Amino acid sequence: MADENEQATTTTTTSVEEPLDLVRLSLDEKVCVKMRNERELRGRLHAFDQHLNMVLGEVEETITTIEIDEETFEQIYRPTKRQIPMLFVRGDGVILISPLAKQS
Amino acid sequence: MTTRKQTPSDFLKQIIGRPVVVKLNSGVDYRGVLACLDGYMNIALEQTEEYSGGQLKSKYGDAFIRGNNVLYISTQRKK
Amino acid sequence: MATSQVTTATGDTNNIPTTQTTVSAPPTVTPSTTIVQLLPLELVDKCIGSRIHVIMKSDKEIVGTLLGFDDYVNMVLEDVTEFETMPDGGSRITKLDQILLNGNHVAMLVPGGEGPTTSVGAV
């Protein structure tokens, strides 16, 4: 495992040989992070480790709460946004990470 | 039974580069091309589409999925 | 008798047994038996090539032909049917070609099972 990592970093820095390489390639780039509890983060990826603990800067957090209209029983999605200059994210809450530059 | 044994790692070697469906415990599906994965079932997908309740919710060019959320990885459904 | 000795030897290590003198060796329970019991993973191994019914920790059940598995009971299944109960109480059936099922979320395995359709009617 460690050997593979070394190989990947010494030979090419652009190839994705294991999933974490995709995150490595997103360092200093804007990423979208989907978290549990309907939270989504968009920010610059400053650092991460093997647990997907992350440090994100210039973050916009979007929390989506679902409310049910008492009369019509319709589901109402209510996004709440806030800005956070610097953020530590614990890896166990992470579902998905995607580099924003390549996102359509 | 003549079925040869196919271990999880055999299966994974065989499906890299193919279109797959990754289903999470939450019920959300991700469809895309399997770029690679590791022993934690962390997954890198390309041309990813996110489906929730059968409806397309969003698209990601590349996506890293943390393995602990993965329920299964499937080769795409027979048509 | 034998069981009470075992419990005192392992459980109350602080209390020095007064009457039972030497219980220093680890308790070797029934040394005469050669392996009679079928190990759990041996049972799973016997299921390779046949239909198996997987009950997940959540309200989800999966039926398929078992092609293989590993020590974590991650399983490769073929001709799979997935049975889910939806939040609105309805159920949903998905057919899949081949899957790798994460062993982390497996609660039970039923050899030769054919899924919840036979036992549980539509809700």
Side-chain angles (χ1 to χ4, degrees):
Chain A
M1 200 66 168
D3 294 349
E4 280 176 26
N5 286 345
E6 278 170 21
Q7 263 190 354
T9 47
T10 49
T11 54
T12 50
T13 49
T14 49
S15 69
V16 178
E17 310 211 337
E18 58 162 1
L20 281 170
D21 291 342
L22 190 64
V23 185
R24 192 167 295 120
L25 290 174
S26 308
L27 274 171
D28 293 320
E29 305 284 337
K30 289 281 247 179
V31 292
C32 167
V33 182
K34 241 179 98 80
M35 306 281 297
R36 295 178 171 212
N37 307 324
E38 304 295 323
R39 281 165 201 264
E40 203 169 286
L41 308 171
R42 280 155 193 266
R44 200 166 292 283
L45 180 65
H46 289 304
F48 73 98
D49 64 17
Q50 69 273 31
H51 307 290
L52 273 307
N53 295 326
M54 288 181 284
V55 178
L56 296 176
E58 309 149 54
V59 184
E60 181 184 73
E61 182 194 37
T62 310
I63 307 168
T64 311
T65 50
I66 303 170
E67 290 178 20
I68 296 179
D69 192 300
E70 286 180 18
E71 287 169 15
T72 63
F73 298 102
E74 277 179 307
Q75 291 189 337
I76 304 164
Y77 292 88
R78 188 158 295 170
T80 318
K81 292 191 185 209
R82 61 178 172 184
Q83 311 293 324
I84 303 161
M86 191 64 80
L87 186 64
F88 168 87
V89 182
R90 198 179 143 91
D92 60 357
V94 173
I95 295 175
L96 176 142
I97 304 167
S98 178
L100 268 180
K102 296 173 191 168
Q103 190 177 340
S104 49
Chain B
M1 281 298 156
T2 54
T3 322
R4 81 205 184 296
K5 188 166 174 172
Q6 188 188 28
T7 63
S9 64
D10 295 338
F11 177 75
L12 292 174
K13 279 175 207 156
Q14 180 194 315
I15 63 168
I16 283 175
R18 284 175 57 183
V20 293
V21 181
V22 176
K23 181 145 191 161
L24 306 190
N25 290 308
S26 61
V28 176
D29 281 356
Y30 291 95
R31 286 156 193 264
V33 176
L34 181 66
C36 59
L37 52 110
D38 65 17
Y40 299 105
M41 275 200 207
N42 291 328
I43 294 168
L45 277 187
E46 293 164 353
Q47 302 158 42
T48 312
E49 294 176 330
E50 180 182 273
Y51 288 85
S52 177
Q55 288 183 308
L56 180 61
K57 286 291 155 91
S58 52
K59 291 185 177 186
Y60 305 94
D62 288 327
F64 171 96
I65 299 169
R66 201 176 191 265
N68 65 312
N69 303 296
V70 174
L71 174 67
Y72 64 67
I73 306 167
S74 167
T75 51
Q76 248 164 6
R77 186 184 163 178
K78 287 188 276 199
K79 289 282 160 69
Chain C
M1 191 59 192
T3 49
S4 67
Q5 276 184 343
V6 170
T7 48
T8 48
T10 54
D12 306 328
T13 44
N14 292 334
N15 297 349
I16 300 159
T18 49
T19 51
Q20 302 154 0
T21 49
T22 54
V23 212
S24 58
T28 53
V29 188
T30 58
S32 58
T33 52
T34 51
I35 306 163
V36 180
Q37 62 166 335
L38 182 69
L39 292 170
L41 290 188
E42 291 176 354
L43 176 66
V44 184
D45 195 77
K46 281 176 185 287
C47 295
I48 286 179
S50 47
R51 298 293 279 177
I52 192 166
H53 177 187
V54 186
I55 301 166
M56 309 302 291
K57 288 177 188 165
S58 60
D59 277 345
K60 208 170 278 173
E61 308 195 5
I62 287 171
V63 176
T65 304
L66 181 66
L67 298 187
F69 68 99
D70 64 16
D71 286 350
Y72 304 102
V73 203
N74 297 323
M75 285 173 283
V76 183
L77 298 169
E78 194 174 51
D79 299 325
V80 178
T81 313
E82 180 189 358
F83 302 85
E84 289 176 271
T85 43
M86 305 307 282
D88 59 12
S91 62
R92 179 178 172 145
I93 292 174
T94 316
K95 301 259 185 200
L96 299 154
D97 182 8
Q98 275 195 347
I99 70 170
L100 170 63
L101 184 69
N102 193 341
N104 240 324
H105 313 109
V106 170
M108 295 184 279
L109 299 176
V110 183
E114 264 307 325
T117 42
T118 50
S119 51
V120 184
V123 182

